[in-house]
Amino acid sequence: MKVAFAAVLLICLVLSSSLFEVSMAGSAFCSSKCSKRCSRAGMKDRCMKFCGICCSKCNCVPSGTYGNKHECPCYRDMKNSKGKAKCP
């Protein structure tokens, strides 16, 4: 019984560590894409914040520093509470 419990615990540990790596990879993806997207923004910290929120929900960021939102419909269609585009 102790061996089975140890085996289940080991499997859970391995699975949780692989999920952690996947989540970290996603944030590195968003960070690099948003850095490019916000490179010419006047308010870079605000741009990075909202780009990061949008990227984490949509898993994509349009190419370039402006426009090209047709490449990512989820990113394009996110709105703030005032009905304006949320994502830079």
Side-chain angles (χ1 to χ4, degrees), residues 16-32:
S16 66
S17 68
S18 65
L19 289 174
F20 180 71
E21 288 177 20
V22 169
S23 68
M24 290 302 289
S27 65
F29 168 79
C30 289
S31 179
S32 66

Side-chain angles (χ1 to χ4, degrees), residues 64-77:
T65 57
Y66 183 80
N68 300 322
K69 290 188 177 181
H70 64 278
E71 297 174 353
C72 185
C74 170
Y75 191 96
R76 177 193 64 212
D77 297 338

